[in-house]
Amino acid sequence: MGAELMCTVRIKGATTAGKATLETEILHFRGGDIRLAIRFKDIKTVVARSGMLNVASADGRASFAIGDAAAKWADKIRNPPSRLQKIGVKPGWTACAIGVDDREFLKELGSGCARLSIDRAITGCDAVFFGVTREAELSRLEKLKASLKPNGALWIIRPKGRPEISERATMAAVMAAGLVDVKVVGFSTTHTAEKFVIPVSARGALA
C-alpha cells in the first residue's frame, strides 16, 4: 500500500472530501461520487504550491489539498522508482531468470546485479525471477526454491488477466512449495510480478 491521506480534491469546479493514495505508478482518490486513478505516465504537469498538489492529465485538472505532503508527492510523481528499484535489486546480488522473455528487463537486471544466470538455475541466489504463462509451469517452484539463499526471494512474473495462469492457481502452488507472498509490483503494462519468500521459521534448516 502506498501513502494515504484524507483530503479534499477540486475537479471540474467541484470540491469533494475523500482519501488520496499515492502508489508507485498511480495517484488514486476516492470520495463521494468521485473515483480517480491517474497514472503517472499520463500526467502532463504536476505542481506543489501552498499545500496543494495540482495535477494536469488528459482527463483534466485536479487539485489535492494535502498540506505539507504536496511537495513530496509531486517529487515522487516526477521521479517514479525504476523497475529494479521497485523490486529492490542490489548491486551485489546473484540472481537467475528462468523463462523470462522480457529482453529489456534482462538487460536491466544484468547491469544491476553482480551475477545473472539466464535460463539455468544456480544455487545461492538472492533472487530467482520465474516467468510463467501456464499453470503447469508452476510445478517447478519446489526446485527453484532450492536455488535461493534462506533470505532470498522468488519472483513470479505472469501475464495480467490470463485464465491460463490465474492468481488462485499461483497461490496454491506457492503454498504447496512452502513459500509466502510478501509483495506485488507492476512489472509492465502486460505483466505483474509477485514476490515470495521462505518463511522465517523455516530458514534455519536451510542456513
Side-chain angles (χ1 to χ4, degrees):
M1 181 63 69
E4 295 183 345
L5 286 173
M6 300 305 296
C7 67
T8 60
V9 63
R10 184 167 182 80
I11 184 170
K12 297 181 179 179
T15 300
T16 303
K19 181 171 69 176
T21 304
L22 188 71
E23 300 286 359
T24 56
E25 298 176 331
I26 304 176
L27 173 60
H28 294 277
F29 178 84
R30 285 194 172 195
D33 296 328
I34 303 296
R35 300 288 187 273
L36 300 177
I38 308 172
R39 294 185 177 276
F40 294 178
K41 65 179 182 179
D42 296 328
I43 293 176
K44 297 179 179 178
T45 61
V46 55
V47 177
R49 182 180 295 118
S50 302
M52 300 295 294
L53 178 70
N54 303 300
V55 175
S57 68
D59 294 326
R61 297 179 178 274
S63 296
F64 300 81
I66 58 173
D68 293 341
K72 184 177 180 180
W73 282 33
D75 182 64
K76 287 186 176 182
I77 291 171
R78 294 190 194 100
N79 305 287
S82 68
R83 183 158 49 178
L84 294 193
Q85 288 173 330
K86 288 191 290 182
I87 290 171
V89 174
K90 301 293 191 299
W93 270 15
T94 292
C96 64
I98 309 296
V100 178
D101 60 4
D102 187 321
R103 293 185 179 180
E104 186 60 31
F105 173 68
L106 294 176
K107 182 179 179 181
E108 294 169 8
L109 186 59
S111 62
C113 65
R115 182 186 180 191
L116 173 63
S117 175
I118 298 176
D119 288 333
R120 185 174 66 86
I122 57 176
T123 59
C125 285
D126 295 281
V128 173
F129 298 90
F130 183 32
V132 296
T133 57
R134 296 177 294 108
E135 290 181 9
E137 296 169 330
L138 295 169
S139 63
R140 300 183 63 184
L141 289 181
E142 189 67 42
K143 289 184 178 180
L144 292 178
K145 173 185 170 183
S147 295
L148 294 174
K149 293 179 178 178
N151 64 344
L154 193 155
W155 287 84
I156 294 179
I157 302 169
R158 61 184 179 86
K160 300 175 181 177
R162 290 277 295 276
E164 301 92 333
I165 179 68
S166 68
E167 181 177 1
R168 178 178 296 181
T170 301
M171 292 306 298
V174 164
M175 291 179 63
L179 298 167
V180 294
D181 63 306
V182 293
K183 187 177 183 179
V184 179
V185 303
F187 184 77
S188 68
T189 57
T190 58
H191 286 67
T192 188
E194 298 162 293
K195 179 182 180 181
F196 302 94
V197 299
I198 300 166
V200 174
S201 60
R203 294 178 187 176
L206 302 174

